[in-house]
């Protein structure tokens, strides 16, 4: 069995359990709404970017970023930022359901 998922569609499989079709999975109403929401962050609301300058968050050019919990210690060790003082943690934007980074 093949299971393909993308973080913002994490609650829904993108292909059939046997891996032979995406019809009814990737093109479902819920999946298309999630994909549109994600695309709108880039193109409609202009609050996301594909390419970022180096150290964009650390230099104040980026307001938020997606990092997993495993990156917090490394981030604090390699910057002058302190969790709770210089930056915080918030859930990812959502429509109906919440997802987390892989």
């Amino acid at each position: 069995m093949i299971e393909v998922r993308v973080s913002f569609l994490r609650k829904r499989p993108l292909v059939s359990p046997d891996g032979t079709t995406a019809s009814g999975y990737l093109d479902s109403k819920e999946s298309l709404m999630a994909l549109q929401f994600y695309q709108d962050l880039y193109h409609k609301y202009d609050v996301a970017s594909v390419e970022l300058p180096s150290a964009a968050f650390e230099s104040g050019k980026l307001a938020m970023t997606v990092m997993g919990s495993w990156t917090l210690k490394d981030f604090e060790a390699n910057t002058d930022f302190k969790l709770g003082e210089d930056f915080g943690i918030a859930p990812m934007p959502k429509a109906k359901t919440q997802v987390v980074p892989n």
Side-chain angles (χ1 to χ4, degrees):
M1 177 167 99
I2 300 171
E3 187 172 304
V4 179
R5 295 175 189 248
V6 176
S7 63
F8 55 90
L9 294 171
R10 193 174 193 155
K11 305 251 181 193
R12 299 191 51 79
L14 299 179
V15 296
S16 62
D18 63 4
T20 61
T21 185
S23 182
Y25 295 88
L26 183 58
D27 62 356
S28 72
K29 179 182 174 186
E30 295 84 3
S31 293
L32 292 175
M33 286 173 55
L35 289 166
Q36 185 64 56
F37 173 76
Y38 193 69
Q39 183 177 358
D40 286 349
L41 294 174
Y42 288 85
H43 302 289
K44 183 177 181 181
Y45 303 114
D46 200 27
V47 296
S49 176
V50 176
E51 298 294 328
L52 295 173
S54 178
F57 184 70
E58 296 89 327
S59 65
K61 296 177 183 174
L62 179 66
M64 66 180 190
T65 187
V66 176
M67 293 189 284
S69 60
W70 58 89
T71 62
L72 291 174
K73 294 277 186 209
D74 187 53
F75 185 70
E76 284 189 303
N78 293 305
T79 68
D80 292 331
F81 290 7
K82 298 293 176 215
L83 178 61
E85 294 177 23
D86 302 304
F87 71 100
I89 299 172
M92 291 179 63
K94 71 171 191 161
K96 266 188 172 176
T97 57
Q98 184 66 52
V99 296
V100 296
N102 292 346

